[in-house]
Amino acid sequence: MDFEALDVELNGLRETALKRLGEVGDTRSLADWRVEYMGKKSAISTLSKQMGSLSAEDRPKFGQRMNEVRQALETAFAARQAELERIEQAKRLAAETIDVTLPGRRVPMGAIHPISRVIRDIEEVFLGMGFSIVDGPEVETDHYNFELLNLPKDHPARDMQDTFYLTEELLLRTHTSPMQVRTMERMRGEVPIKVIVPGRVYRRDEDDATHSHAFTQIEGLVVDRGVRMSDLKGTLETFAKALFGPNQQVRLRPSYFPFTEPSTEVDVICVHCQGDGCRVCKGTGWIEILGAGMVHPRVLDMSGYDSQVYSGFAFGMGPERIAMLKYGISDIRLMYQNDLRFLSQFTGV
Amino acid sequence: MKVSYMWLSEYVDLDDLSPQALADRLTKAGLAVDGVESRNQGVEGVVVGEVLSVEKHPDAERLNVCAVDAGTGEILQIVCGAPNVRAGIRVPVALVGAKLPGDVKIKRAKLRGVESNGMLCSAAELGLDTRLLPAHQTTGLYILPEGTPIGTDIVSLLQLDDAVLDVDLTPNRSDCLSIRGFAYEVAAILKRPTTFPTTVDSLESDGPSPLTVRLETDGCSRYDAQVLEGIASKPSPLWMQMRLMAMGIRSIDLVVDITNYVMLEWGQPLHAFDADTIADSTIVVRQAREGEVLVTLDGQSRTLTGDMIVIADPDKAIGLAGVMGGENSEISGTTKRVVIESAQFAGRAIRRTGQRLGLRSEAQQRFEKGIDPSAVRNALARATELLVRLAGAQPIGSMVTAHRGDLPATATTSVRFSPDACRVSLGLDISDADMAGILASLGFVVTMHSDDWTVQVPSRRPDVVLQADLVEEVARLYGYDNIPSTHLVLPITPGMRDGRQRLIEQVKDVLVGIGLYEVRSYAFTSPEALRPMGMNESQPPIPLMHPMSDERGVLRTHLLPSLAEIAKHNLAHRVDGGAIFEVGRTYLADALPLTKQPIEREQFALLWFGETGESLREKSRPYDFYDAKGAIERVLAALGVKATFVRLELTWLHPGRSARIVVGDEEIGVIGEIHPAIANDMGVPGGIYAELDVQPLVKHRTMDVTVEPLPKFPGSRRDIALLVQQEVPVGELLETIEMSAASSGILTGVQVFDVYMGQGIPEGHKSVAIALHFQDSERTLTDEEIEDTVQLVVTSAAVAHGAQLRS
């Protein structure tokens, strides 16, 4: 045999092998193809054994041709194998399709109570402004709840807060304000004082849609030299923007609390109508959310801070009211009924 | 406080200011107006008419056919059903075309065949509040005083064109409890002068008063009185009735109305006694005697206490000072001479008396908030004037005045004021002139010396005594809106929760994360709710002095009843079940009655009730002990607290399914299934309850972590199955295993992965499958040393718990 004849045959084998490779449809047939065209008993192997009959000059030439063909088949095989695997995997995956619209494996849901949520939101705002949080007793003395807050016995302003008494001297606090005094006493004249006091309070109100005999309050107190009423306004404005949105404004209205002077009620722009006037704000565009004022000089003096030297402001707000406004809750009692159909609406807050 | 716009306008010019506009100004200045109500509820076209004749309706038993002159130029035939209709009376006549409240339009009509050209009206039909009318005016036609001009528009006659401002007065503004006081405030707000009548005519006659007054208590600092005779008993004039009505006060009769009218005008409560019931013509103001009995004007017999003040004669009490008169000295139609009292009583005593007796009169409210001492005499003079003018009375002698100590020389208080300090404390740049102007507009007299002013505050403003009070007056009249917003200029302070606060928030987040809902319940409960748990004996609850109901009569000593009640509510509303928790307090008294503040113990209380609820891959099942324990373990892990669960028997928990949660020697909580008998007795569904005390958690929590290096050599696992008697707690078995292998130093983990009872296991036994994890940080362990340790473990388990190794 001469080189040309062998080369023609080799090319023919290559053509056949590649053609058949193109027809191979799965990895099992691919293995058979490999045995048939590239195995020890393949036609190419057989052909290579005839190399000995070539001249010494043609032998390396043919050896090189042979390698080229083997290389080409190897490359084609690898490509075909990869392709087939890809197709087979795609088939397998297609067969593994599940219904992704079925619900996931259940993880129990829980939620924080809306009042706690609001308290936490408010705490975060004031923590960010460098306030600390303090807690105090719910069973208070008449002394701390009233007298040290400039509400002596038989003062008519005590009517503003109908009280649950336990004894003549002990009562359930009607507000978180006694913690103003307790905090100043604990600080023993140190400044600055910047605290908020969240906590439960109690008043002898008949429960209805907007009243509860038990509710929560957050008190705030700042004392230092030179604290101004304008600082109160600025602080509350910052607070209102953080809690209700950047377009908020606060409005102060003169009022009266025995433990602040001057005293003020504080309104924010109605969160419902953004100030246009609606049912919630009775058409005024404003809603009252807290009471505040400059700490009364007598309260400062009684708590060990010379009112000639120090001044401060205090404020108090009701998380229930804020929760009702924020979440559209129309009846305060819903928040103390703890119906899971109600609470489960707060998984997202 | 209800304020008549019309009356007010006599003292301040309100010309270009509508009632609503005035209300807005007042609210801005701190006198919050809750509402403005027109007195006219829709009356139009109603005039005064005289009934000329009355004849029975031919076809209707109860109807009359009246001829009425309403000044229209013709005699109107009007059919009327009121029983008190009679010829000669003057009444409101709604003419054809008139309107009445409730969108009623009067048309020409035929009533049982008889034509009716209008309607005769009752007070209620005119929209008047009949509760505020004299008793005889409340039903039937509203009969007007004789001589009321025919044809007069009823709107102007009854002052229905007035508006009433409902002012929510803060308790410090006693000065605004009168029209005059209110006028001062309005004048200051509007920067307009007051226009009071210059003086009150002094009509007292010369000569001594027949009355003697003796003050025997400090509870009365001043007592003025005037005796008058010849009083005609009759109703008060319509204008006075209407003014009283506008201000929410009921008209009674002329004398009483005059005392009330003067009180509204001057803020000074007055009282009228029948002079002839006063023994020895002597009034004694003294403390009541303990147990003394007085029948008050309302017919109630009142037993008095020593801290009350009475008006008395030498024999008996005749009135409760500042609160209510006595029946024995009440004026009546036969009264010949009256004593009008105008006095100043101590607010505290009056307040206490009213509270004790459950009374809350207009007079009392004014006394307790403080009245203007300068009004005492003026009010008495004004009442005298009105009695003379309207009731035809004659004063007998002059006013009598008694007082305790000296009367104050001036009726003003002097307050020092620093305008600089005012500017600083408000953060407001306001001029001296503006401040002085505001203070002057309030009727305060300002003396300016550089930064040390003296401000004379009239006695009608007892709330203004300090610089801060003046600062508020300046600020509110200058306008709170004008105060700028500034930022605190203070040292930087860290805003951080303390350990306890952080722990509470963290635990809440963990519990919410694993599927619990936070609840908030009331702290009040009933002994009945606590009884089944035996709490009333072990820790008697603190009772409220005046509870609003029995269900909320005591402070809770345990959180379980609160949570169980919530479970009950939910199950009753078709909720399958759930897991809830509360961060709440219980209130624990050392001893009752309470002598000091109780311990307020803060706890996490958790309850799993009902069923888990069905889902696609899980059947619904009742919550069990291990749901609860898993959650507690999760919380403890989050806090780095290592606790053990020790079997516990409490009367209110399932004896076989309850445990104490213990750290070291300290019990930090309990967990267990609610005893079915207790749940039944409480009337609540059962469930798994757990509680953790906050304080010990704060103490035991660890925040520090020192990282152990990761192992460099492979570890090994050996599984063993031990056969033990059923009662053997697995927890103890594991503990024995850990202890026994401790010395080897290579047993790094022990984990139970199966507990099996049933086929192949002897009766009364269980098979516990345990994985033992071995590891050494220095080298790879040999099979021999692992086997040795397994042997050690098995032997110890056999010795301690009679455990057998299952092959």
Side-chain angles (χ1 to χ4, degrees), chain B residues 29 107 111 197 291 299 437 487 685 762:
Chain B
K107 298 190 190 89
L111 286 139
H487 286 152

Side-chain angles (χ1 to χ4, degrees), chain A residues 66 92 97 112 134 148 164 180 182 190 200 207 225 229 253 276 287 316 322 327:
Chain A
M66 186 67 91
R92 207 165 52 241
T97 298
I112 195 166
V134 292
L148 292 176
F164 286 111
Q180 288 186 27
R182 288 190 181 275
E190 294 284 311
R200 295 187 189 226
D207 292 352
R225 291 181 178 84
M229 190 152 172
R253 274 184 295 114
D276 294 340
I287 40 170
I322 293 171
Y327 305 128

Side-chain angles (χ1 to χ4, degrees), chain B residues 4 243 479 619 662 711:
Chain B
S4 157
R243 283 202 168 167
K619 292 232 178 314
V662 179

Side-chain angles (χ1 to χ4, degrees), chain A residues 200, chain B residues 504 508 518-519 581-585 602-605 694:
Chain A
R200 295 187 189 226
Chain B
I504 288 173
K508 277 179 166 183
E518 190 198 5
V519 298
F581 76 96
E582 174 160 17
V583 190
R585 293 184 189 186
E602 197 169 30
Q603 291 181 311
F604 297 104
V694 171

Side-chain angles (χ1 to χ4, degrees), chain B residues 191-233:
Chain B
K191 300 192 167 51
R192 293 178 187 182
T194 52
T195 53
F196 295 118
T198 42
T199 52
V200 177
D201 293 339
S202 177
L203 292 176
E204 57 189 320
S205 66
D206 294 336
S209 171
L211 192 72
T212 311
V213 176
R214 242 177 23 233
L215 301 188
E216 293 184 353
T217 171
D218 288 333
C220 177
S221 51
R222 176 168 181 172
Y223 194 104
D224 288 9
Q226 173 74 51
V227 185
L228 296 104
E229 65 180 349
I231 286 172
S233 170

Side-chain angles (χ1 to χ4, degrees), chain B residues 572-624:
Chain B
H573 289 84
R574 298 161 146 262
V575 173
D576 291 331
I580 56 176
F581 76 96
E582 174 160 17
V583 190
R585 293 184 189 186
T586 57
Y587 309 82
L588 311 174
D590 274 355
L592 290 176
L594 207 58
T595 51
K596 60 182 172 78
Q597 284 169 283
I599 293 168
E600 295 180 23
R601 184 176 180 186
E602 197 169 30
Q603 291 181 311
F604 297 104
L606 308 87
L607 181 71
W608 287 256
F609 63 93
E611 301 214 338
T612 58
E614 197 177 18
S615 70
L616 179 62
R617 295 170 189 86
E618 282 172 284
K619 292 232 178 314
S620 183
R621 61 171 177 84
Y623 284 107
D624 65 23

